[in-house]
Amino acid sequence: GVAAATLALGTMLLPALQASRTTIVLHKQQIARKTRKPIWKLLFVDFIALGISIYGLYRYQARSEIIQISGLEASELALDPMLFFISTFFVIGVGLLFLRLYPGLVRLIFRLGRRRWSPAVFSSLVQVGRGGGKDQFLMLFIILSISVGVFNADAARTLNQNVKEQIRYRVGADAVVTEEWVRVSDSGPIAAAGPGGPFGGPPTIEEPTGRYVEPEFRRFQELPEVMLSTAVFREEQASGRVFGGESFGNVTLLGIIPQEFGTIAWFRNGLLPFHWYNYLNLMAESPAAALLSTSLRDEGVELGDPIYMQWKDQPTTLYYVYGFVDFWPTFNPYESRNANSRRHLAVVNLPYLQAMTAKEPYEVWLKLRPGATSQELYDSIHTVSSRITSLTDVRQELIRARNDPLLQGTNGTLSLGFLVSLGVCFVGFLIYWTFAIRERTLQFGLFRAMGMTKSGIIRMLAIEQILVSAVAVVAGFLIGRVTSELFAPLLQVGKNATDTVPPFRVISLLQDQLRIGGFVAVMLLFGFVILAVFLSRIRIHQAVKLGEE
C-alpha cells in the first residue's frame, strides 16, 4: 500500500516539477519544434519487457519438465518470483511494440489516399498519425485494461474447467461402485472379499484363493437413475512379459467391454493421436487385443508383439499389442508405486480375461440419467445391495472441488481483476476524451468557421474513435488471447505432475469474449454520445478569438 501511494504521488508530482522549470517562451518553442520520441522508444522498453517475459516463460517450462522427468514435488523446487509478473511484462511489451509500429501504418494509409480523402478522414488520419504521446497513452491504457480483462476471464474459465476435467478423468464415469463378493471353496462359502470401504463389511482378504460368487449385474442397470452400466476390472499390481523378451512390472491392468466402455466413460478429445473410439474399435477386432501405455513402447515393446500378463496366483494370459496410448480414463502416467519403476497400463477385453482366468471382483461404472440426484442414486443402490464397499459420485467430487478455499480464492481474485480492469478502462476512456474535447475546442471552432458542418466534425471524431479506441480494443483482445495461451498454464505452477492429468489446457469460451465485447461496445457508444453532446454546445464566437492562433 505504501509503495502504491508513493508511486501515485510520484506520477502526479514529477511531471509538475519538470513543468515548473519551463517558461512560457520555452513551452511555445517546444510546441513549434518537432516532437521528440517518447523515452520508452529511446530506451526500447518494449523489447526489454518482451525479453523478460520470454525468459520467464522459458524458466517455467524448464521447471515443469524437471518436475515431470524427475518426479519431484513442486514444493521441492524453488519458485522464481518473476513468474508472477511475466504475463504483465508480456502485455506491456507487445502493447508498446504495437504502438511503435501503428503510427507508421496510419501514415501509410494517409499517403495512399492523400488526394482522395474527405476533410473528415484527412483530418482524422493527420491527427492520429501525428498525435504524439496523448493518443498512444490512451491506446496503451485500453490495451492493458482489455488484455488483463481477457486474460483474467480466460484464466478463471481455464482453472475451473481443468479442475472439472481432472476430476472426471480420475473417476472415469458419472458414478463408480464396488461391491464385496462372496468367496467360496470346495466346502462352501468361507468369506467375503473386496476392498474395504466407507460402508463397512467383513475383513478384506488380500489374495484370492478359491472361487468367487459373482453378484447379479443387472441390478445396477435396472436402477431408475441409471441410463447405462458396464463392468470394469482393475488390478493395480499386474506384471507382463514379451514373448521371448523382457519382462515388466508395475502395471495397471484394466479389463473393459469396448462398446459399453466407450458410451459410459469420460475421456477428453485431443489426448491421443486419434479419437479414442478408434482404439476401442481396435480392441473389438480381436478378443486377445491389448492397448499398452507408451511407457512400455519406450522400453522396447512393439506393435503386434505377443505378451503374457499375470497377477497374483491367476494363470498367465496371452495378448497381442494393438496400440499404445499416453492417457486412458483413470490412468495417471506420472504416478508410480515404485520409485525405481514407471507406471504402466494394459487395457484388455474383459470377456476374454474372465474366460481365461478365475473371476474376481470388478467395478461397476454407471452413466446416470439427466436430473437424477445423488441422494436418489444412493437410496436406490442400497435397496439392491448391502455389500457396497465404495461409491464415487463425480458430482459430489465436483462440489467438494468448487468449495475448496484455494480455488474459491483464486476465482475471486481473477473475477475481481476482470471487473476492475474493465471498470478502470471505462473511466479512463471517458476522462481522456472529455479532456481531449475541451482542449480541441478552438480547433473545432476553426473547422466550423472554415465551413465544416457539425455532422462533419462528428464524423471526424467517429473516425478518430475507430483509429484510436476501436483499434486499441481489437489489439487488446488479440494480445489478451495470446497472453492466455502462453501464460494461463502458470496457474498450475504449484502443482505436481501427478495432479495435472489430463494435461492442463487453456480454455476460452465465446460467451466470455462476447460479454467483454458487449461491455466495450457500450463503453465506446456511451463515450461517443458524450463527445457529441460536448460538440453540440461549442460556440464558434467564443472559440475563435483574434490573436489566439
Side-chain angles (χ1 to χ4, degrees):
V2 172
T6 304
L7 180 63
L9 288 174
T11 55
M12 291 186 292
L13 295 179
L14 290 179
L17 180 62
Q18 184 179 2
S20 65
R21 301 173 181 174
T22 303
T23 64
I24 185 63
V25 177
L26 292 176
H27 177 64
K28 289 294 185 179
Q29 288 177 345
Q30 290 174 357
I31 294 177
R33 293 170 183 166
K34 187 177 180 180
T35 306
R36 294 184 303 172
K37 285 186 177 182
I39 189 170
W40 65 265
K41 287 186 177 180
L42 297 175
L43 298 179
F44 297 98
V45 175
D46 45 353
F47 292 102
I48 294 174
L50 274 176
I52 293 174
S53 63
I54 293 173
Y55 173 72
L57 186 62
Y58 166 76
R59 289 289 302 273
Y60 165 74
Q61 292 175 346
R63 184 179 188 274
S64 300
E65 291 179 2
I66 291 173
I67 292 175
Q68 288 187 2
I69 294 173
S70 64
L72 294 173
E73 298 285 334
S75 58
E76 295 178 9
L77 292 179
L79 186 61
D80 190 347
M82 190 175 64
L83 295 178
F84 296 104
F85 304 101
I86 57 177
S87 60
T88 305
F89 278 117
F90 182 80
V91 171
I92 294 175
V94 177
L96 291 176
L97 181 61
F98 173 77
L99 295 182
R100 181 186 290 271
L101 303 176
Y102 183 64
L105 177 62
V106 173
R107 289 193 291 268
L108 177 62
I109 295 174
F110 170 76
R111 291 175 182 174
L112 290 176
R114 186 170 187 172
R115 300 183 181 277
R116 295 187 296 272
W117 299 129
S118 65
V121 177
F122 189 97
S123 177
S124 299
L125 291 173
V126 170
Q127 177 68 25
V128 176
R130 302 176 184 175
K134 292 184 178 180
D135 292 343
Q136 290 193 356
F137 176 80
L138 174 65
M139 293 183 72
L140 180 62
F141 184 81
I142 294 177
I143 288 173
L144 287 176
S145 301
I146 298 297
S147 297
V148 171
V150 171
F151 175 74
N152 285 339
D154 288 348
R157 181 70 65 178
T158 295
L159 181 64
N160 292 327
Q161 187 65 26
N162 276 274
V163 169
K164 184 185 299 184
E165 290 181 354
Q166 288 163 8
I167 291 174
R168 288 191 173 276
Y169 181 92
R170 185 178 70 248
V171 176
D174 291 345
V176 177
V177 180
T178 58
E179 187 178 15
E180 288 183 324
W181 289 22
V182 174
R183 181 170 59 83
V184 297
S185 65
D186 294 337
S187 59
I190 59 173
F199 299 102
T204 299
I205 295 178
E206 295 298 335
E207 55 270 335
T209 57
R211 293 173 292 118
Y212 291 100
V213 178
E214 180 182 7
E216 185 181 3
F217 181 79
R218 287 189 305 169
R219 297 169 300 157
F220 297 104
Q221 179 61 58
E222 294 172 353
L223 294 177
E225 295 80 18
V226 175
M227 181 185 301
L228 297 170
S229 63
T230 187
V232 177
F233 174 75
R234 181 187 303 275
E235 172 55 50
E236 298 286 356
Q237 292 298 328
S239 59
R241 175 173 56 87
V242 180
F243 179 76
E246 297 291 332
S247 60
F248 48 87
N250 206 25
V251 179
T252 296
L253 179 67
L254 287 182
I256 65 172
I257 303 174
Q259 182 180 2
E260 296 179 359
F261 191 80
T263 58
I264 294 176
W266 184 92
F267 192 71
R268 193 178 82 189
N269 292 332
L271 294 177
L272 300 175
F274 307 97
H275 195 282
W276 76 299
Y277 285 176
N278 294 320
Y279 295 87
L280 293 174
N281 292 336
L282 284 176
M283 293 187 62
E285 292 180 2
S286 170
L291 300 176
L292 304 182
S293 58
T294 52
S295 57
L296 287 173
R297 183 180 59 187
D298 297 339
E299 295 188 8
V301 183
E302 298 180 357
L303 283 174
D305 283 352
I307 60 171
Y308 296 99
M309 298 298 302
Q310 196 271 335
W311 72 98
K312 296 178 182 175
D313 61 349
Q314 292 281 12
T316 302
T317 311
L318 175 64
Y319 298 95
Y320 294 90
V321 180
Y322 270 53
F324 294 95
V325 293
D326 293 305
F327 300 94
W328 198 257
T330 72
F331 173 65
N332 191 331
Y334 306 116
E335 185 180 42
S336 178
R337 298 180 184 276
N338 185 346
N340 299 321
S341 176
R342 297 175 63 183
R343 194 75 186 148
H344 305 304
L345 172 71
V347 185
V348 300
N349 283 288
L350 180 60
Y352 176 78
L353 174 71
Q354 291 180 333
M356 303 301 292
T357 62
K359 281 190 177 181
E360 290 194 5
Y362 50 69
E363 300 172 353
V364 179
W365 288 25
L366 306 176
K367 184 178 181 65
L368 305 181
R369 297 184 184 278
T373 65
S374 298
Q375 189 60 50
E376 291 173 345
L377 175 66
Y378 301 159
D379 294 339
S380 296
I381 288 178
H382 283 293
T383 60
V384 298
S385 176
S386 60
R387 292 183 173 273
I388 302 299
T389 59
S390 70
L391 173 56
T392 305
D393 184 354
V394 73
R395 294 171 299 183
Q396 296 303 313
E397 296 292 325
L398 292 174
I399 291 174
R400 292 190 191 97
R402 284 196 294 266
N403 292 333
D404 179 66
L406 179 60
L407 182 63
Q408 287 186 337
T410 305
N411 275 324
T413 302
L414 294 173
S415 300
L416 183 61
F418 166 71
L419 295 175
V420 168
S421 63
L422 293 185
V424 169
C425 179
F426 179 69
V427 174
F429 174 84
L430 288 182
I431 291 176
Y432 172 81
W433 279 111
T434 301
F435 280 96
I437 291 298
R438 292 182 181 275
E439 290 179 358
R440 295 173 63 186
T441 300
L442 176 61
Q443 182 189 44
F444 297 146
L446 289 173
F447 283 158
R448 292 283 286 123
M450 290 188 294
M452 182 178 285
T453 63
K454 194 170 282 189
S455 61
I457 293 178
I458 294 177
R459 188 163 56 251
M460 177 187 70
L461 282 177
I463 296 172
E464 287 186 24
Q465 285 269 35
I466 295 173
L467 293 175
V468 176
S469 302
V471 170
V473 167
V474 173
F477 267 101
L478 295 177
I479 294 173
R481 286 292 304 119
V482 174
T483 305
S484 299
E485 291 292 336
L486 293 177
F487 298 97
L490 267 69
L491 292 171
Q492 60 174 347
V493 68
K495 292 188 176 182
N496 304 320
T498 56
D499 299 328
T500 56
V501 179
F504 199 85
R505 65 168 177 168
V506 178
I507 298 170
S508 178
L509 296 185
L510 180 61
Q511 63 188 37
D512 294 334
Q513 310 303 320
L514 291 178
R515 290 192 188 112
I516 301 175
F519 180 90
V520 173
V522 171
M523 177 188 73
L524 294 177
L525 180 61
F526 186 63
F528 188 70
V529 170
I530 291 179
L531 298 183
V533 171
F534 273 122
L535 287 175
S536 65
R537 297 178 178 178
I538 292 179
R539 300 177 181 178
I540 298 177
H541 68 280
Q542 291 181 353
V544 183
K545 298 178 182 178
L546 185 63
E548 185 103 24
E549 284 288 335

